[in-house]
Amino acid sequence: MGVTSAQQAPQRARMGPWRFVVWFGTVSLLADFVYEGARSVTGPLLASLGASSLVVGVVTGAGEAAALGLRLVSGPLADRTRRFWGLAVAGYALTVVSVPLLGVVGTLWVACVLVIAERVGKAVRSPAKDTLLSHATAVTGRGRGFAVHEAMDQVGALVGPLTVAGVLALTGGDYGPALGVLALPGAAVLGLLVWLRARVPDPEAYEREITPPSTASGAPGGRLPTAFWTYAAFTAATTAGFTTFGLLSYHLVERHLAHTAWVPLLYAAAMAVDAVAALATGWAYDRYGPRVLAVLPLLSAAVPVLGFTHTVTVAVAGSLVWGAAMGVQESTLRATVADLVPSGRRATAYGIFAGVVGAASLVGGALTGALYGSSIPALITVVAVVQALALILLAVTRPGRAQARR
């Protein structure tokens, strides 16, 4: 007897979990192509429209605050409505529409609104996107799945700025074509999302297949596990003691260790290390569990030791170690959240987690910046103490991890 079209439809609507991860990674690659390309020239673009340094600082700072802080709203909203695909598509659409428009507006205030709108788009989509991805990584391995996604993400973060720089060089600094060309990968983002949603309308099915029904989702309105809050404290500590690339590059230029033109190339190299570190720690996480995360405080403590020396090669090594730490932060840290929190509350957890990271990043930037101006040895010592505290918090988190190994 033949199979009816109705019976075939669910099969056509599914794909293997690894294919889902890779296709979602492609979406992120193209989206990073778009918004990292724009962010690489946001300051000069606003300045060309008459912005002062204060305006540039306020607008870009407000954008980053929106990108992280608004996830405290979008995360719970995703859990309540269960409209993960809708929020992901809406967030990506806001970003990929805002960026090309930046190249054609001629008014400063409109450009400022668009810069912030692009960051709001990231806030809208991120908790939903991470939750969708977490379902497939339940099968592929949390660490490996998030690591592959992060590595593909970084490819876009490299190609976007390089493309914008190339078009600017060809057009004599015309921002219109340089940002307009980003509409092409932006359109591809939306097309791929619509196609992926049609193929996998319910990614949570991946996780339901391997998780007992009693623990598969949890109550959308339930409390977050205690282990999550301890883990968030660990993340806050290691992030608060993390030196920014801005401060590392400031040291290189101000101490005449490197010319300003070399800084973007060093950043690109750090992003390449980011991708490799994400893949390495992601695979190790699935094999050895959360103990792998102990490498993050160690890397973070090493950054100022190497980065703030007066030897070029050692200082450059510090920036590359910074890239390795970023790879762990952007992949394996997010993977662990999915293992600690049931899917019914996972988007909320990702929203809160982003808020913690954002607040700790602000503290870390202010702390390391202030200490750098007064005493580099004091900076190194304080960072080491903070990272030691982070290691203790990680040790406390591990025993409470609900799903340490599948």
Side-chain angles (χ1 to χ4, degrees):
M1 181 180 293
V3 180
T4 65
S5 59
Q7 291 172 316
Q8 292 175 342
Q11 296 176 357
R12 291 198 306 268
R14 290 296 305 273
M15 64 173 61
W18 264 122
R19 287 187 63 200
F20 181 83
V21 169
V22 171
W23 277 115
F24 221 133
T26 304
V27 170
S28 291
L29 185 158
L30 292 169
D32 266 47
F33 189 145
V34 175
Y35 70 78
E36 293 290 7
R39 292 179 73 198
S40 68
V41 294
T42 295
L45 170 65
L46 294 178
S48 72
L49 296 173
S52 64
S53 59
L54 174 62
V55 170
V56 172
V58 169
V59 170
T60 54
E64 292 309 308
L68 292 168
L70 290 179
R71 296 185 211 187
L72 295 171
V73 177
S74 62
L77 177 64
D79 276 337
R80 285 198 303 271
T81 64
R82 314 305 291 173
R83 296 183 180 275
F84 300 109
W85 276 120
L87 287 167
V89 172
Y92 276 114
L94 183 56
T95 288
V96 301
V97 169
S98 299
V99 167
L101 290 177
L102 274 171
V104 297
V105 299
T107 307
L108 177 59
W109 74 267
V110 177
C112 292
V113 169
L114 290 172
V115 168
I116 296 174
E118 182 274 308
R119 296 282 82 193
V120 170
K122 187 172 181 64
V124 170
R125 69 178 178 265
S126 288
K129 177 205 71 178
D130 285 342
T131 301
L132 292 170
L133 187 62
S134 74
H135 297 315
T137 61
V139 182
T140 66
R142 299 287 192 205
R144 284 174 289 181
F146 275 94
V148 167
H149 182 271
E150 168 65 10
M152 297 182 71
D153 201 70
Q154 289 307 305
V155 172
L158 286 172
V159 174
L162 292 176
T163 300
V164 169
V167 176
L168 284 173
L170 290 173
T171 60
D174 190 343
Y175 289 106
L179 296 175
V181 73
L182 300 178
L184 298 176
V189 166
L190 297 181
L192 273 177
L193 275 174
V194 171
W195 173 78
L196 196 56
R197 180 181 184 178
R199 290 294 306 274
V200 191
D202 180 24
E204 192 172 1
Y206 291 125
E207 193 164 352
R208 284 197 299 265
E209 291 175 358
I210 65 167
T211 308
S214 60
T215 60
S217 61
R223 293 182 177 180
L224 292 171
T226 301
F228 166 78
W229 293 109
T230 308
Y231 181 68
F234 154 72
T235 303
T238 190
T239 305
F242 189 59
T243 307
T244 66
F245 183 80
L247 190 58
L248 291 170
S249 60
Y250 175 89
H251 174 80
L252 286 168
V253 174
E254 288 299 309
R255 299 300 174 95
H256 306 290
L257 299 175
H259 191 275
T260 305
W262 288 99
V263 171
L265 295 179
L266 179 58
Y267 182 79
M271 290 299 96
V273 173
D274 175 317
V276 174
L279 292 171
T281 55
W283 257 259
Y285 175 84
D286 288 336
R287 185 174 179 86
Y288 302 109
R291 72 187 72 173
V292 170
L293 288 170
V295 73
L296 179 56
L298 298 177
L299 289 171
S300 299
V303 170
V305 174
L306 300 172
F308 294 137
T309 61
H310 298 286
T311 304
V312 176
T313 54
V314 178
V316 167
S319 293
L320 298 180
V321 172
W322 174 87
M326 284 296 296
V328 181
Q329 286 185 0
E330 294 293 331
S331 60
T332 314
L333 278 185
R334 290 189 295 139
T336 308
V337 173
D339 271 337
L340 288 171
V341 181
S343 62
R345 292 285 283 161
R346 199 168 292 160
T348 297
Y350 275 121
I352 293 173
F353 190 72
V356 168
V357 171
S361 296
L362 178 60
V363 171
L367 176 67
T368 55
L371 288 173
Y372 177 86
S374 58
S375 170
I376 290 179
L379 165 59
I380 293 172
T381 301
V382 169
V383 167
V385 171
V386 172
Q387 298 303 336
L389 173 62
L391 284 171
I392 294 172
L393 290 169
L394 178 62
V396 173
T397 301
R398 278 217 310 266
R401 190 171 181 259
Q403 302 173 38
R405 295 295 298 275
R406 282 191 170 86

